[in-house]
Amino acid sequence: MNTGMRRGLWALAACLSVQVLLFAQSSDHDRNLENCKNGWECDHTQLTAAEERQVSVANRQRNFLDCRYGGGACDHVKLTPAEAREVAIAEHQRNFSDCRYGGRACDHSKLTSAETTEVAAAARQRNVSACSQGLESCDHSTLTPAEDRAVAVAVRQHNFSGCMYGFASCDHSTLSSAEAQEVAAAEH
């Protein structure tokens, strides 16, 4: 191999080494910037002023989303007035939904009178459903006479189905004579 060619190869190798080194440094810097933007551990001293502004914007947006969706570490003080209004609406809707569906985070004191009425109706329906399914959460004392009759029919049908399929929960003593005959025929 001649000297010119050897020098050319060394020059090419040197250029490639410099590019790889620069790429690795750039890659580390980019990774650090992304870590800062995501609120993870990072080195702020390695950021430019423009990158610090990007991180600040990302932090504000993350805080807003944490507040808006009820997750993470929400700091209401850092919200703009418009963001605070949107967050208040979202928090109210979340509370109403929790109350309507029997969630533990429900705060009845924050409901409007119309919402309180709707929540009470939903709770009543959940109770009727629980009673119809024979769940422990059922409170028979709150059922109206019509609901009590509907629950009795549902419980009877549930028991009959259980007997037909041979479930251990079957209570043969509550079957009508026609149901008992049908269950006996199914057992054989």
Side-chain angles (χ1 to χ4, degrees), residues 20-81:
V20 166
L21 182 60
L22 289 174
F23 177 75
Q25 288 174 346
S26 172
S27 208
D28 288 344
H29 181 81
D30 291 345
R31 190 171 17 261
N32 183 61
L33 175 60
E34 286 306 309
N35 285 348
C36 290
K37 284 181 176 181
N38 289 321
W40 301 334
E41 188 175 323
C42 68
D43 184 358
H44 284 270
T45 64
Q46 300 298 315
L47 302 178
T48 66
E51 290 169 338
E52 276 292 350
R53 285 190 296 275
Q54 289 176 15
V55 169
S56 178
V57 167
N59 287 340
R60 284 181 45 83
Q61 184 64 24
R62 188 174 41 263
N63 182 62
F64 168 67
L65 292 174
D66 284 347
C67 294
R68 171 74 176 79
Y69 295 105
C74 166
D75 185 351
H76 284 84
V77 174
K78 293 180 179 177
L79 298 172
T80 66

Side-chain angles (χ1 to χ4, degrees), residues 98-155:
D98 283 344
C99 292
R100 190 177 339 141
Y101 296 107
R104 291 183 180 178
C106 168
D107 183 349
H108 288 277
S109 70
K110 294 181 179 180
L111 299 174
T112 66
S113 60
E115 290 168 340
T116 300
T117 301
E118 187 175 333
V119 164
R124 175 171 221 82
Q125 187 54 49
R126 276 193 313 279
N127 186 56
V128 169
S129 179
C131 293
S132 295
Q133 296 173 41
L135 301 178
E136 284 186 34
S137 60
C138 166
D139 181 359
H140 280 281
S141 69
T142 64
L143 297 176
T144 65
E147 290 168 341
D148 199 32
R149 286 189 298 276
V151 164
V153 168
V155 168

Side-chain angles (χ1 to χ4, degrees), residues 176-186:
S176 69
S177 58
E179 289 171 337
Q181 288 175 354
E182 199 172 333
V183 167

